[in-house]
Structures are given as C-alpha cells and as structure tokens.
Amino acid sequence: MFVTYLVVTLLASALNGSAAVANLIGHEYPKSEADRNRVPRSWVRPLGVLLGAGALGLLAGIVVPVLGILAAAGLVLYFLSALGVHVRAGNFRLGAWALFFVVALAALIVNLAYHPNA
C-alpha cells in the first residue's frame, strides 16, 4: 500500500507543481485557458499559487499525514470549481481537466486509505 500511496502522491505533486510553474512564469497555455474560460488573466498567478500550495502540501503529507489529506481535498475542490468555470463558459474541452481531477481524487483516496486515523 505504501508504494501506491507514494507513487500517486508524487505523481499528483509533480503534475500540479508543473501546472503551478506554468501559471507563475506566465506561460501562454494558462493564459489562453483563462481567456477561453472567461477568467481574468490577473487570476492566473494566484491560481498557480493554489496549485503550488497543493503540490507542496501533498509532499508535506508524507511527513505530516493531515497536510496531505487537506492538500488533496483542496485540489479536488479546486478542480471541481474549475469544472464549474468550464461549464459556465461553455468550454467542454475537458481532457486536461479530467486528468488533473482524476489524479487529485486518486491522491485524496490513497491519502485517506493509507492514513485512516489522521
């Protein structure tokens, strides 16, 4: 079980960390997604900070389990909110969203399974 927990946690952290970096450095992809979803570009960096906090929280959860659970739950909520934004904007290109959501949900599930008393 530990290997599964570690692999999923590291994958989720790497995926969200790379998205956070893209947002924070001003890469064109997050900006074009913001435009497509009618989100102000000024939100791109703060959303990147949230993604980065989730990625770091997942890593911290390896040492302090409750942090990993909270970070994974926060990422699940982040991506559920993102789904709402996509639907509101009429943007049904949800491939990338589905990948990020499933990985965040998997991280939450393995965190809860591996640390049931946290």
Side-chain angles (χ1 to χ4, degrees):
M1 179 63 187
F2 177 73
V3 173
T4 303
Y5 160 74
L6 194 59
V7 167
V8 170
T9 298
L10 293 176
L11 175 65
S13 182
L15 191 63
N16 287 288
S18 64
V21 169
N23 282 31
L24 293 172
I25 67 170
H27 192 273
E28 190 56 36
Y29 180 75
K31 291 178 187 176
S32 65
E33 282 300 304
D35 294 342
R36 187 174 291 119
N37 290 312
R38 295 182 295 200
V39 172
R41 283 189 174 203
S42 62
W43 288 18
V44 170
R45 282 201 171 89
L47 292 172
V49 170
L50 292 176
L51 288 169
L56 292 175
L58 288 172
L59 293 178
I62 296 170
V63 178
V64 182
V66 71
L67 292 178
I69 293 169
L70 292 172
L75 287 169
V76 167
L77 291 173
Y78 177 97
F79 290 112
L80 285 174
S81 299
L83 176 62
V85 169
H86 276 74
V87 170
R88 177 187 56 91
N91 177 9
F92 297 103
R93 293 173 31 174
L94 299 172
W97 172 86
L99 172 66
F100 278 85
F101 177 72
V102 167
V103 171
L105 185 60
L108 179 59
I109 290 168
V110 298
N111 266 278
L112 289 172
Y114 190 71
H115 305 292
N117 298 321

